[in-house]
Amino acid sequence: MDWHKNKLIQTWLYLIITAVLLQVPFLSLPLYWFATYYHELSHGIATLLSGGVVEKIQLFTDGSGFCFSRGGIHTLIAFSGYFGTPWFGAVIFKIAEPKAAVTTKLLASFMLAIVAVTLVFYVSDILTALILLLIATGFLASLYISNVSWLRHIYKLFGMSLILNGLLSSLSLFGYPHEGDAAHLANLTWLPGIFWVALWVINAAGVLLWVLKTSKTRG
């Protein structure tokens, strides 16, 4: 089998490699930083869409982070973090598709603009700024470098890391449904934390299955 032209096999390889990388302490930390950014960004977008104000987004060396905001629909904001991360991963994964050059550049430009806006208006510390500059460099490179296979591989590993992180972090919450966003949602609604955790797991698993399903063609 000509595996290097089979997109489904490639996608499974990205999944396996990412799963391994997430277990390596030193190499996994940047991936957790990136996932945390998109988690907090999802909170920020939900805040803005629901009429709230984002004050700042901050990431920490241990892979945690915060989106400081005021107002907005709190239920939507609390739900959006774990919901949005895998979808950002799917978009980034699809940016790397080699047969859609125009779409790739448009999506990369859009993702770059989001990072730039975050960096300019919602970041006030050096660590968060450095992480966002690293992400921005990758998107910027795709606008000026064409037909570079290694760049596509990096994008796909990056995107897959967000999808897998979203799934694994949601699954881990089954043991802690009374903490974090799940607990906050339980306090805001009459639904228990485990219900929201299940929704996040289903969402992340659905995103992963969609990426695998749409990777069945040869390329």
Side-chain angles (χ1 to χ4, degrees):
M1 178 181 290
D2 198 3
W3 66 269
H4 67 282
K5 291 186 178 180
N6 189 298
K7 290 172 62 179
L8 180 58
I9 293 178
Q10 289 179 11
T11 303
W12 275 104
L13 287 175
Y14 292 126
L15 176 60
I16 294 170
I17 293 171
T18 301
V20 172
L21 289 176
L22 287 174
Q23 304 306 313
V24 181
F26 180 74
L27 295 177
S28 65
L29 190 55
L31 297 180
Y32 284 114
W33 286 343
F34 298 153
T36 300
Y37 164 63
Y38 283 101
H39 178 101
E40 302 306 332
L41 176 64
S42 297
H43 283 313
I45 291 174
T47 299
L48 295 174
L49 290 178
S50 61
V53 176
V54 176
E55 296 181 341
K56 71 174 180 177
I57 289 177
Q58 186 171 7
L59 308 177
F60 302 101
T61 54
D62 62 356
S64 61
F66 285 106
C67 176
F68 299 90
S69 62
R70 293 181 287 106
I73 302 175
H74 290 189
T75 302
L76 177 64
I77 295 169
F79 179 72
S80 64
Y82 287 103
F83 180 84
T85 304
W87 284 108
F88 274 113
V91 170
I92 293 170
F93 192 91
K94 290 301 179 182
I95 282 176
E97 295 293 345
K99 290 186 177 180
V102 175
T103 303
T104 295
K105 291 185 182 298
L106 288 174
L107 287 174
S109 298
F110 178 69
M111 298 297 283
L112 178 61
I114 291 176
V115 175
V117 169
T118 306
L119 186 60
V120 172
F121 295 103
Y122 303 117
V123 173
S124 59
D125 66 288
I126 295 177
L127 176 61
T128 306
L130 289 175
I131 293 172
L132 296 194
L133 285 173
L134 183 58
I135 296 174
T137 299
F139 291 132
L140 188 62
S142 70
L143 301 179
Y144 295 97
I145 301 175
S146 59
N147 299 321
V148 180
S149 60
W150 61 265
L151 184 60
R152 293 201 299 269
H153 293 317
I154 291 175
Y155 268 19
K156 289 199 171 187
L157 286 172
F158 181 22
M160 185 60 74
S161 74
L162 296 182
I163 298 171
L164 191 57
N165 186 286
L167 177 59
L168 295 177
S169 60
S170 298
L171 283 169
S172 70
L173 293 176
F174 274 118
Y176 306 94
H178 305 298
E179 299 180 9
D181 290 338
H184 188 39
L185 284 165
N187 291 330
L188 291 170
T189 68
W190 54 270
L191 295 168
I194 198 72
F195 170 82
W196 300 103
V197 172
L199 282 185
W200 289 326
V201 171
I202 292 171
N203 171 66
V207 173
L208 179 58
L209 290 174
W210 176 75
V211 168
L212 289 170
K213 183 178 179 180
T214 56
S215 298
K216 288 185 177 180
T217 58
R218 296 170 65 86

